[in-house]
Amino acid sequence: MLIPYLALCGRIILLGWERILVKKLGEKSDSISGTFLFFALGTIFLLPTLFFVDVVINASILFYVTLSSFVYSIAFWLYVKSLSDGEASLVSPLYNFNVFFLLILAVIFLGEKISLFKLLGLLFLFYGVSFLNRKRNIIESFKAILLDKSCQYMIVASLLIAVGRTIDGNAIKITPPILYAFYLNVGISLFLLTYIMIKRNISTTIKLFKEKTKIATFSGGLNAYSYLFLLIAFTGIEVSIAEPASMTAMILTVILAGKILKEDIKERLLGVAIMLMGLWLLFI
């Protein structure tokens, strides 16, 4: 039972660093090319893990992988674009809105009820968001978030990621986490490469890799293993514990954004703390 908890710790650390590297990868670069490198290099990093599982594929696995790959291709293109265009300490916390969207999907499609704790959680979540771009009052703060393009990209990305997580939950019931993570990276890479080739933009992708080889490689590795660690954590830890715990990574991201990217994070750290309280309440 120790392995899932170690995986969760690894997830938190890698995810915190991942967003800083993704921002550096996407800055002044083509977002589609950056997203492709993010997953294509991640696929290479996952190749050694295949020695630990029996490689199998069937119609059911192929269905889940194709569906989730398509959803995640769009989601992470928006994710990379958001981090590239906006401040990491501003847009990264909005990634965690996927929990809010997961709750809404559960209420609509699974008939789950919204409890008092969940209502309080939503209030804390939205109140915390108002600290990310603080204005004269909470209404003005929300308007500043909603009218910011990079924030819009991350909010839509978080919605699509919520859909993807729902697919993942069913997929790992029939597929080992290692194998599913590898297949998913391959699928996303193929979707993005197809788009790049249709747009005849392969030269831009090659140029980006040459210019940012180290950043692209490190971000790809962090992405691959942070996701794999999440899947492994789910095998031994309830989602109600693992998911909000992994979201503490946004504290690390905000701190690193202040240290490395020199962003102003004073009020944003408070907002992140309030959001985390809300996220935990959503899972009670």
Side-chain angles (χ1 to χ4, degrees):
M1 285 298 294
L2 181 61
I3 290 178
Y5 288 95
L6 290 175
L8 180 58
C9 292
R11 161 77 173 174
I12 292 168
I13 295 169
L14 295 185
L15 193 58
W17 276 97
E18 175 194 297
R19 292 160 184 169
I20 302 299
L21 289 177
V22 167
K23 178 168 180 61
K24 287 185 170 291
L25 175 63
E27 276 182 328
K28 300 178 182 179
S29 306
D30 176 60
S31 297
I32 289 288
S33 296
T35 311
F36 168 72
L37 292 174
F38 190 50
F39 284 98
L41 293 169
T43 303
I44 296 172
F45 273 99
L46 286 173
L47 275 172
T49 67
L50 296 182
F51 290 105
F52 301 97
V53 293
D54 294 325
V55 179
V56 294
I57 192 166
N58 54 47
S60 296
I61 295 174
L62 190 60
F63 170 77
Y64 282 122
V65 168
T66 303
L67 186 59
S68 59
S69 295
F70 177 73
V71 171
Y72 281 136
S73 295
I74 301 171
F76 281 98
W77 164 59
L78 293 171
Y79 172 80
V80 172
K81 188 167 181 60
S82 175
L83 284 166
S84 303
D85 296 350
E87 293 187 339
S89 59
L90 170 63
V91 299
S92 292
L94 297 176
Y95 171 90
N96 299 290
F97 261 77
N98 69 78
V99 176
F100 164 71
F101 291 122
L102 277 171
L103 175 62
I104 298 302
L105 290 172
V107 170
I108 295 173
F109 295 107
L110 301 178
E112 289 191 14
K113 295 182 180 180
I114 296 182
S115 65
L116 177 60
F117 282 115
K118 286 183 171 59
L119 283 174
L120 286 172
L122 290 175
L123 287 174
F124 273 104
L125 183 63
F126 282 101
Y127 183 58
V129 168
S130 70
F131 283 84
L132 299 180
N133 196 353
R134 198 71 167 161
K135 301 297 180 184
R136 289 178 299 174
N137 55 59
I138 192 169
I139 302 298
E140 291 294 321
S141 297
F142 273 114
K143 282 178 65 177
I145 293 288
L146 294 175
L147 294 176
D148 187 284
K149 280 287 185 184
S150 59
C151 291
Q152 291 173 4
Y153 294 145
M154 188 60 83
I155 291 169
V156 177
S158 69
L159 170 58
L160 293 173
I161 288 168
V163 175
R165 290 287 186 264
T166 305
I167 300 169
D168 294 345
N170 291 299
I172 61 173
K173 293 176 183 177
I174 62 171
T175 317
I178 289 175
L179 195 59
Y180 181 68
F182 176 77
Y183 284 155
L184 192 61
N185 272 263
V186 171
I188 295 170
S189 299
L190 288 175
F191 272 116
L192 293 170
L193 180 60
T194 301
Y195 181 85
I196 289 170
M197 295 183 73
I198 289 172
K199 290 291 184 178
R200 298 180 179 179
N201 211 23
I202 193 70
S203 59
T204 302
T205 306
I206 294 171
K207 181 182 177 182
L208 176 59
F209 179 67
K210 288 180 177 179
E211 290 176 349
K212 300 184 178 182
T213 304
K214 288 184 179 180
I215 293 174
T217 303
F218 278 119
S219 65
L222 290 179
N223 168 52
Y225 283 97
S226 69
Y227 180 69
L228 176 59
F229 287 165
L230 177 65
L231 295 178
I232 294 172
F234 282 166
T235 63
I237 305 173
E238 291 182 5
V239 175
S240 60
I241 297 174
E243 191 64 19
S246 68
M247 289 172 188
T248 56
M250 65 179 167
I251 295 176
L252 177 58
T253 297
V254 172
I255 291 172
L256 290 173
K259 294 287 186 182
I260 299 174
L261 305 177
K262 307 304 179 185
E263 296 178 5
D264 185 3
I265 64 169
K266 290 180 182 177
E267 290 188 334
R268 289 173 183 171
L269 270 177
L270 176 59
V272 166
I274 295 171
M275 288 178 70
L276 281 172
M277 289 174 63
L279 290 167
W280 277 99
L281 286 169
L282 288 178
F283 283 89
I284 293 178

